[in-house]
Coordinates of all heavy atoms in Angstrom, one line a residue:
F21 N -104.0 3.0 62.2 CA -105.0 2.3 61.3 C -106.1 3.3 60.9 O -106.5 4.2 61.7 CB -105.6 1.1 62.0 CG -104.6 0.1 62.3 CD1 -104.2 -0.1 63.7 CD2 -104.0 -0.7 61.4 CE1 -103.3 -1.1 64.0 CE2 -103.0 -1.7 61.7 CZ -102.7 -1.9 63.0
N22 N -106.7 3.0 59.8 CA -107.9 3.8 59.4 C -109.0 3.3 60.4 O -109.4 2.1 60.4 CB -108.3 3.4 58.0 CG -109.5 4.2 57.5 OD1 -110.6 4.2 58.1 ND2 -109.4 4.8 56.3
S23 N -109.6 4.2 61.1 CA -110.6 3.9 62.1 C -111.8 3.2 61.5 O -112.4 2.3 62.1 CB -111.0 5.1 62.9 OG -111.6 6.1 62.1
R24 N -112.2 3.6 60.3 CA -113.4 2.9 59.7 C -113.1 1.5 59.4 O -114.0 0.6 59.6 CB -113.8 3.6 58.4 CG -114.3 5.0 58.6 CD -114.7 5.6 57.3 NE -115.1 7.0 57.5 CZ -115.3 7.9 56.6 NH1 -115.0 7.6 55.3 NH2 -115.6 9.1 56.9
Y25 N -112.0 1.1 58.9 CA -111.6 -0.3 58.7 C -111.6 -1.1 60.0 O -112.0 -2.2 60.0 CB -110.3 -0.4 57.9 CG -110.3 0.2 56.5 CD1 -109.2 0.7 55.9 CD2 -111.5 0.4 55.8 CE1 -109.2 1.3 54.7 CE2 -111.5 1.0 54.5 CZ -110.3 1.4 54.0 OH -110.3 2.0 52.7
L26 N -111.0 -0.4 61.0 CA -110.9 -1.1 62.3 C -112.3 -1.4 62.9 O -112.5 -2.5 63.4 CB -110.0 -0.3 63.2 CG -109.6 -0.9 64.5 CD1 -108.9 -2.3 64.3 CD2 -108.7 0.0 65.3
L27 N -113.1 -0.4 62.8 CA -114.5 -0.5 63.3 C -115.3 -1.6 62.4 O -116.1 -2.3 63.0 CB -115.3 0.8 63.2 CG -114.8 1.8 64.3 CD1 -115.5 3.1 64.1 CD2 -115.1 1.3 65.7
D28 N -115.0 -1.7 61.1 CA -115.7 -2.7 60.3 C -115.3 -4.1 60.8 O -116.2 -5.0 60.9 CB -115.3 -2.6 58.8 CG -116.0 -1.4 58.1 OD1 -117.0 -0.9 58.7 OD2 -115.6 -1.0 57.0
I29 N -114.0 -4.3 61.1 CA -113.6 -5.6 61.6 C -114.2 -5.8 63.0 O -114.7 -6.9 63.2 CB -112.0 -5.6 61.6 CG1 -111.5 -5.6 60.2 CG2 -111.6 -6.9 62.4 CD1 -110.0 -5.5 60.1
A30 N -114.1 -4.8 63.9 CA -114.7 -5.0 65.2 C -116.1 -5.4 65.2 O -116.6 -6.2 66.0 CB -114.4 -3.7 66.0
S31 N -116.9 -4.9 64.2 CA -118.3 -5.2 64.2 C -118.6 -6.6 63.7 O -119.7 -7.2 64.0 CB -119.0 -4.2 63.2 OG -118.7 -4.5 61.9
Q32 N -117.6 -7.3 63.2 CA -117.7 -8.7 62.7 C -117.3 -9.7 63.8 O -117.6 -10.9 63.7 CB -116.9 -8.9 61.5 CG -117.3 -8.1 60.3 CD -118.7 -8.3 59.9 OE1 -119.1 -9.5 59.7 NE2 -119.5 -7.3 59.6
L33 N -116.6 -9.2 64.8 CA -116.1 -10.1 65.9 C -117.2 -10.7 66.7 O -118.2 -10.0 67.0 CB -115.1 -9.4 66.8 CG -113.9 -8.8 66.1 CD1 -113.0 -8.1 67.2 CD2 -113.0 -9.9 65.4
F40 N -104.2 -9.3 67.9 CA -103.6 -8.5 66.8 C -102.2 -9.0 66.6 O -101.4 -9.0 67.6 CB -103.6 -7.1 67.1 CG -104.9 -6.4 67.0 CD1 -106.0 -6.8 67.7 CD2 -105.0 -5.3 66.1 CE1 -107.2 -6.1 67.6 CE2 -106.2 -4.6 66.0 CZ -107.3 -5.0 66.7
I51 N -105.6 -9.9 62.3 CA -106.5 -9.9 63.5 C -107.4 -11.2 63.5 O -108.0 -11.5 62.5 CB -107.5 -8.7 63.4 CG1 -106.6 -7.4 63.3 CG2 -108.4 -8.6 64.6 CD1 -107.5 -6.1 63.1
Y61 N -108.7 -11.6 59.8 CA -108.8 -10.3 59.1 C -107.4 -9.8 58.9 O -106.5 -9.9 59.7 CB -109.6 -9.3 59.9 CG -111.0 -9.9 60.2 CD1 -111.2 -10.6 61.4 CD2 -112.1 -9.7 59.4 CE1 -112.4 -11.1 61.7 CE2 -113.3 -10.2 59.7 CZ -113.5 -10.9 60.9 OH -114.7 -11.4 61.2
L63 N -105.5 -6.1 58.2 CA -105.6 -4.6 58.2 C -104.3 -4.0 57.9 O -103.3 -4.3 58.5 CB -106.1 -4.3 59.7 CG -106.4 -2.8 59.9 CD1 -107.6 -2.3 59.1 CD2 -106.8 -2.6 61.4

Side-chain angles (χ1 to χ4, degrees):
F21 298 109
N22 182 309
S23 60
R24 289 182 187 164
Y25 297 153
L26 188 56
L27 288 172
D28 284 344
I29 291 171
S31 71
Q32 299 298 313
L33 299 177
F40 283 61
I51 302 173
Y61 305 91
L63 185 60

